[in-house]
């Protein structure tokens, strides 16, 4: 038996002898119907799948919303009740004493009279240290002296004026700078009134104080002197050259030294009053 050359689908006797040929039109119609059924099925499947996806998304959204609602409720429940929240301060307003504080006394109140100016007074205490630095430079401190016989530490008519007004003590210190020497004197009285009278009546000058390397000066030559008063104190200066040269108006270094040391002495006296006022202010009220 021979299969021929057409193969199983050849147009000859590949299927054996005497067989009927297939109806190609009918096969084509069946194939078309099958294709239409597949198209309808896929369309229906797509619609169903789309509906399922939408339903899943809606379910997720609803679930999330429900969870958010639960969390919001739980957050509200976790807040402390109103009663436990901090309330505005109810502390009492500050109260101030109706008693006015004592006024701070003026330093001059303690320096105007011996009754209140009772702190120890010495030349070393009034003129401390070994030097003093002022605007004009550094002045070296020389000898110190103190006496209860004020007239013996004065020159000319000043001695009589001091004694007549009741001078209790005369303190002196000498300062030098370059070739200039200045002696500062502080006369102490019982009251500010007595000191003021002594200042107005003053003639002559405080006696210069030599020693500790400072030669005698301003005893037999022209020198420059000043006289001032504060509270119960009269403070004086006499200044000139260490070599005994006479002072003229052109010798500005002598004038400056005398003025600066006079101001320094006033400050020392005033500081004494400040210290007394501070002690009084710190003491308990009577």
């Amino acid at each position: 038996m021979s299969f021929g050359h057409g193969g199983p689908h050849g147009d000859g006797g590949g299927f054996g002898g005497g067989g009927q040929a297939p109806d190609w039109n009918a096969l084509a119609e069946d194939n078309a119907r099958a294709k239409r059924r597949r198209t309808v099925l896929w369309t229906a499947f797509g619609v169903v799948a789309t509906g399922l996806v939408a339903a899943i998304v809606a379910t997720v959204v609803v679930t999330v919303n429900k969870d958010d609602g639960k969390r919001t409720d739980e957050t509200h429940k976790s807040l402390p009740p109103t009663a436990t929240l901090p309330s505005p301060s109810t502390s009492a307003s500050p109260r101030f004493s109706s008693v006015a504080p004592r006024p701070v006394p003026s330093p001059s109140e303690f320096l105007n009279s011996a009754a209140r100016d009772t702190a120890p007074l010495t030349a070393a205490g009034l003129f401390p240290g070994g030097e003093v630095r002022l605007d004009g430079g550094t002045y070296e401190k020389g000898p110190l002296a103190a006496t209860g016989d004020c007239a013996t530490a004065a020159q000319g008519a000043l001695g009589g004026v001091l004694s007549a007004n009741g001078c209790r003590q005369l303190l002196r210190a000498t300062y030098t700078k370059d070739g200039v020497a200045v002696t500062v004197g502080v006369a102490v009285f019982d009251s500010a009134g007595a000191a003021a009278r002594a200042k107005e009546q003053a003639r002559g000058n405080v006696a210069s104080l030599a020693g500790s390397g400072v030669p005698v000066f301003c005893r037999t030559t022209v020198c420059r002197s000043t006289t001032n008063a504060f509270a119960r104190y009269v403070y004086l200066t006499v200044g000139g050259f260490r070599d005994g040269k006479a002072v003229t108006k052109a010798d500005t270094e002598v004038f400056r030294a005398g003025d600066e040391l006079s101001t320094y002495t006033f400050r020392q006296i005033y500081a004494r009053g400040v210290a007394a006022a501070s002690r009084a202010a710190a003491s308990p009220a009577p």
Side-chain angles (χ1 to χ4, degrees):
M1 179 177 77
S2 174
F3 289 100
H5 299 287
H9 298 292
D11 56 350
F15 290 93
Q20 186 178 1
D23 187 352
W24 298 108
N25 290 329
L27 291 173
E29 182 64 25
D30 291 339
N31 187 42
R33 283 195 297 271
K35 186 175 182 180
R36 285 193 297 272
R37 284 197 299 271
R38 288 194 298 270
T39 301
V40 171
L41 289 174
W42 279 112
T43 301
F45 177 76
V47 171
V48 172
T50 301
L52 289 174
V53 171
I56 292 171
V57 172
T59 302
V60 171
V61 171
V62 170
T63 303
V64 171
N65 289 339
K66 288 182 178 179
D67 291 342
D68 288 344
K70 291 180 180 179
R71 284 197 294 269
T72 303
D73 291 340
E74 292 174 357
T75 302
H76 289 166
K77 292 178 181 179
S78 65
L79 290 176
T82 304
T84 62
L85 294 176
S87 59
S89 175
T90 57
S91 58
S93 300
R95 297 181 179 180
F96 301 95
S97 174
S98 59
V99 180
R102 289 186 299 165
V104 178
S106 169
S108 61
E109 292 182 27
F110 295 89
L111 302 178
N112 283 337
S113 67
R116 302 195 68 182
D117 185 16
T118 58
L121 180 61
T122 64
L126 194 60
F127 304 108
E131 63 183 28
V132 57
R133 295 183 180 181
L134 304 175
D135 292 342
T138 300
Y139 296 85
E140 297 292 335
K141 188 176 73 174
L144 296 173
T147 179
D149 187 356
C150 300
T152 62
Q155 283 188 295
L158 181 62
V161 171
L162 296 178
S163 298
N165 287 283
C167 179
R168 298 296 183 184
Q169 189 178 16
L170 183 56
L171 313 173
R172 288 182 295 169
T174 294
Y175 290 91
T176 61
K177 179 179 178 296
D178 301 330
V180 175
V182 177
T183 293
V184 180
V186 177
V188 186
F189 298 84
D190 286 341
S191 66
R197 288 191 297 271
K199 187 261 181 182
E200 292 300 323
Q201 300 168 8
R203 300 292 184 272
N205 53 267
V206 65
S208 62
L209 179 63
S212 301
V214 180
V216 176
F217 67 100
C218 292
R219 291 296 181 94
T220 60
T221 187
V222 177
C223 285
R224 194 255 182 154
S225 62
T226 66
T227 304
N228 292 282
F230 175 68
R232 69 186 189 107
Y233 300 90
V234 173
Y235 53 104
L236 315 99
T237 68
V238 59
F241 293 103
R242 291 165 58 106
D243 60 5
K245 184 178 69 172
V247 176
T248 68
K249 292 183 179 180
D251 297 319
T252 55
E253 66 271 34
V254 175
F255 283 76
R256 180 169 188 171
D259 291 343
E260 286 194 334
L261 288 166
S262 178
T263 300
Y264 167 72
T265 303
F266 164 76
R267 291 174 180 170
Q268 291 298 100
I269 297 171
Y270 190 82
R272 177 180 172 84
V274 171
S278 299
R279 288 192 297 271
S283 63

